[in-house]
Structures are given as C-alpha cells and as structure tokens.
Amino acid sequence: MVQRILFLHGAGPQPGPEENPVLQAVRRRWPDADLVAPALPDPEDPDPDQWQDAIARAIREIPDEPWMIVGHSLGGSEALRFLCHRIPTLLQRVVTVASPCWDQDDPDWNYLGFTLPATAGRTLADLDIVVVHAEDDDVVPVTHAHRLADRLPSAQLLLLGSGGHLPTEWTERGIVP
C-alpha cells in the first residue's frame, strides 16, 4: 500500500493546490496517502538543474515507506530524468501525466537540458512506470506519450480519449496499488 505520493507539477503558471485538477484527482483517489507537492523553482522559466535539485531535496525528505511519484507535464519528464541517475528505495510506481518527451529532432521540443539519457530504457526497466496521456492534449501532443513508450519499453502506456492537458480519468481506473 502506498503511504506517500510525491506530486511534481508542470511548468507555466501554477494554480493553487486546491485548483489543480490532477492533484485534486490524486487526493480523491488516495485520500489516506500523505501527498507531498513541493513548489518547483521558477515554473514559468524552468531550469533543468534547479528542478533536479528540488526533486532530490523532496525525495530526501521521504521516509522509508512505500511511495510513488505522480508527475504532471514537465514534472513527469523531470521525474524520469532524475530516476535515470538514482533510483530511491521503496519507490513503487511512477506515473507521468501529459509529460513531454524532449527530442533533439523535434523543433518544438528540443531543449536538450530536459532530454532523457539514451540509456533510460535500460536504467528504468525495473521500475513500474505508467505513461498517461489524453489524445486531445493541446499543450503536449499525444505523440510524446508514444515517444516515451518507445524509449521506455517496460512502461505501461495509458491513452485516454479526452482530458486535455489535465486528464484525471486515469485515477478512477485503479492503475496504482
């Protein structure tokens, strides 16, 4: 049983915790879990190194108990990038929601500071990863979910017909212990 959930928000203007539909859906689905949602630095102009440092600080605060990560948008891709370098103990699952897959060959999504290492598929092969994406996401195209699934062949891909960039239906499907 998951006792703690680390929620990592995305880039851009951030709503308050009570206005974030993804965060609220996670709270409704796992009301007994301790939900940790740190404010990541400068979300309107994110720096990859600062986000990695903030994620490391948040993870260091998690006690030795079963836990999971839910990362929305950039928070999801940065969680994966962090885990490529160090996998903490007792991490049970990683759920990325509407997360970009940065790619040097994509002119709109080629910022190399956020790209996954080429070894990500092997490094993360033993982690339980779910890639959630809505087909009607108008911020991060659904092609990113397919690219993530290609780069992380052991990940489960969950495509939703709707939900835009803030899909919540996945929390009702019981995909997480």
Side-chain angles (χ1 to χ4, degrees):
M1 169 177 242
V2 171
Q3 296 175 11
R4 189 169 307 261
I5 299 171
L6 175 60
F7 180 84
L8 301 173
H9 64 73
Q14 294 303 303
E18 300 305 318
E19 291 85 39
N20 185 315
V22 177
L23 179 59
Q24 289 307 309
V26 169
R27 279 186 199 199
R28 281 190 305 276
R29 172 66 174 90
W30 298 280
D32 296 330
D34 183 14
L35 186 59
V36 178
L40 298 170
D42 202 5
E44 294 195 46
D45 187 21
D47 175 274
D49 293 330
Q50 290 179 1
W51 275 46
Q52 290 294 294
D53 290 344
I55 291 169
R57 282 192 302 277
I59 288 174
R60 278 195 299 271
E61 296 294 319
I62 294 175
D64 288 337
E65 60 190 21
W67 66 291
M68 66 183 250
I69 296 174
V70 174
H72 175 249
S73 196
L74 184 59
S77 55
E78 281 298 276
L80 293 173
R81 196 166 68 88
F82 178 88
L83 295 169
C84 283
H85 301 288
R86 54 208 144 193
I87 299 176
T89 59
L90 299 175
L91 176 61
Q92 291 189 329
R93 179 168 276 179
V94 179
V95 180
T96 68
V97 181
S99 294
C101 184
W102 303 88
D103 187 329
Q104 65 185 8
D105 296 328
D106 184 331
D108 297 321
W109 297 88
N110 64 2
Y111 186 68
L112 298 182
F114 292 117
T115 57
L116 287 175
T119 58
R122 282 192 316 276
T123 304
L124 303 178
D126 292 333
L127 276 179
D128 186 1
I129 300 173
V130 181
V131 175
V132 176
H133 215 101
E135 292 178 353
D136 66 346
D137 189 331
D138 62 349
V139 176
V140 178
V142 72
T143 55
H144 288 254
H146 294 287
R147 282 201 305 234
L148 275 175
D150 287 346
R151 291 187 185 168
L152 305 171
S154 63
Q156 174 188 348
L157 177 60
L158 176 61
L159 294 178
L160 305 171
S162 63
H165 191 58
L166 296 163
T168 60
E169 177 189 332
W170 62 274
T171 61
E172 299 163 16
R173 293 191 178 195
I175 62 165
V176 180

